[in-house]
Amino acid sequence: MLSIILMSAATQIPRLLPGLSRMSTIKSNKINKLLRSVPLAALGALIFPGILDVGDTIVTGIIAGVFSFILATKKINIMVNILVSSILTSILIYLSQLI
């Protein structure tokens, strides 16, 4: 629970920082790039443990995660990616229970 709260804070701080400071925009490109990458890093930290924990075996999550990554690199719409990856994960879990 604490990790979720900390990751939430990590994603919100970069968004709130410009509004709470006296600067309307951050002029430093390095700081701007860092603040834009924090939400992605936090999202990855939340998703990765879930990938390893889905289904009965670690293989199910890895297959679904790789499949989702391939769809993402092909610039597939995120909602389609989520839907197709969820369906694949459900099928893999169902098949693993049959074996």
Side-chain angles (χ1 to χ4, degrees):
M1 183 68 167
L2 179 62
S3 64
I4 293 173
I5 292 170
L6 292 175
M7 292 299 171
S8 175
T11 59
Q12 293 304 317
I13 289 171
R15 294 180 179 140
L16 294 174
L17 192 62
L20 296 176
S21 70
R22 292 182 181 213
M23 299 182 299
S24 61
T25 59
I26 296 173
K27 293 177 176 49
S28 172
N29 286 337
K30 289 181 181 179
I31 294 174
N32 219 356
K33 187 176 180 182
L34 173 73
L35 291 177
R36 280 189 304 219
S37 65
V38 167
L40 296 175
L43 183 63
L46 288 171
I47 289 174
F48 188 72
I51 288 175
L52 299 178
D53 195 35
V54 71
D56 294 336
T57 65
I58 195 170
V59 177
T60 303
I62 291 174
I63 291 171
V66 168
F67 183 75
S68 180
F69 179 77
I70 291 169
L71 290 178
T73 57
K74 294 186 180 279
K75 308 269 187 201
I76 302 294
N77 183 311
I78 187 127
M79 292 307 293
V80 173
N81 189 339
I82 291 169
L83 180 66
V84 172
S85 298
S86 297
I87 291 170
L88 175 67
T89 304
S90 298
I91 291 170
L92 290 173
I93 290 172
Y94 177 75
L95 292 175
S96 71
Q97 291 175 354
L98 290 178
I99 297 175

